[in-house]
Amino acid sequence: MKKILNYIILGIFIATAYSCDEDATGNSVNYVTFEDTTFAFGVDIGGTSTNDIKVYAGNVTGSDRTFSVVVDTDASSLDPAAYTVPSSVTIPGGSNEGALTVQISDTNIGAGGETLVLALADTTEAFTSGPITLNVAQVCPTNEVSLLINFDDYAGETSWEITQGGSVLFSGDGYGGMTSFSTTFCLDDGTYEFTIFDSFGDGICCAYGTGSYTLDLGTTNLASGASFGASETTSFTLP
């Protein structure tokens, strides 16, 4: 009789242990959270970049779990036209990790960078963490070149272009009313030509205001007092 009682107690213990283990795996108090509170998101100058933002759950279940993602537009400074963010993220069954694929293009990203704040929507399925701030900044995968033009009194007469082998790669005009203009772009190794134009034919210095330009190549600069007449072309080689 005593041996039978021991078997009964052992059976109850095993059943209880199995039940507790099952709860710890699939039914324990759960949470879902971004991988961190901030994420450095580099975007190629003039291009588009994609990154996976990891999302973690506090437990593992046998089925997929989907959580809604929202953009906090009030807390974000990034132009809405610059990003593509899925409305949800899925954590596959048998795992506690999912990936939110975010795509950002170089649209109105200032020199100091921008922010994009994402949050997990409240759900009855799990506790949700705080938001994640994507710190978005321009990056150059090749040679970063910057152009600064200080205009004379007739900025609308000024235009420019960068060419290689006769093909125009970058250009700009329509600066009427502006006092200066600056931009940054990326160029592969090679030889290029920078040309600045003045439609009136008197350059941008000096009878009608003191203008100038600087093309920053990283290690050296191409600069001019800009009294060039109708145009001025300078060749440069990278790196």
Side-chain angles (χ1 to χ4, degrees), residues 203-218:
I204 58 175
C205 178
C206 296
Y208 300 99
T210 303
S212 63
Y213 70 84
T214 301
L215 193 67
D216 186 349
L217 306 179

Side-chain angles (χ1 to χ4, degrees), residues 25-27 30 57 59-67 90-97 125:
T25 302
N27 300 311
N30 190 26
N59 64 359
V60 176
T61 63
S63 58
D64 293 354
R65 289 168 288 174
T66 299
F67 301 96
T90 297
I91 297 178
S95 174
N96 73 329
E97 177 183 321
E125 187 175 352

Side-chain angles (χ1 to χ4, degrees), residues 82-151:
Y83 58 81
T84 300
V85 177
S87 59
S88 63
V89 59
T90 297
I91 297 178
S95 174
N96 73 329
E97 177 183 321
L100 180 71
T101 302
V102 177
Q103 183 180 82
I104 299 179
S105 62
D106 183 16
T107 301
N108 296 326
I109 298 177
E114 308 294 343
T115 57
L116 178 62
V117 181
L118 307 179
L120 293 163
D122 292 336
T123 174
T124 57
E125 187 175 352
F127 294 103
T128 55
S129 71
I132 185 171
T133 300
L134 309 187
N135 294 309
V136 183
Q138 293 175 314
V139 295
C140 187
T142 54
N143 300 292
E144 184 173 322
V145 177
S146 298
L147 172 65
L148 170 64
I149 303 176
N150 295 308
F151 299 111

Side-chain angles (χ1 to χ4, degrees), residues 149 151-152 154-160 172-175 196-199 203-204 228:
I149 303 176
F151 299 111
D152 62 5
Y154 296 90
E157 298 174 355
T158 302
S159 61
W160 60 273
D173 59 13
Y175 302 116
I196 187 167
F197 304 93
D198 182 86
S199 61
I204 58 175
F228 51 76

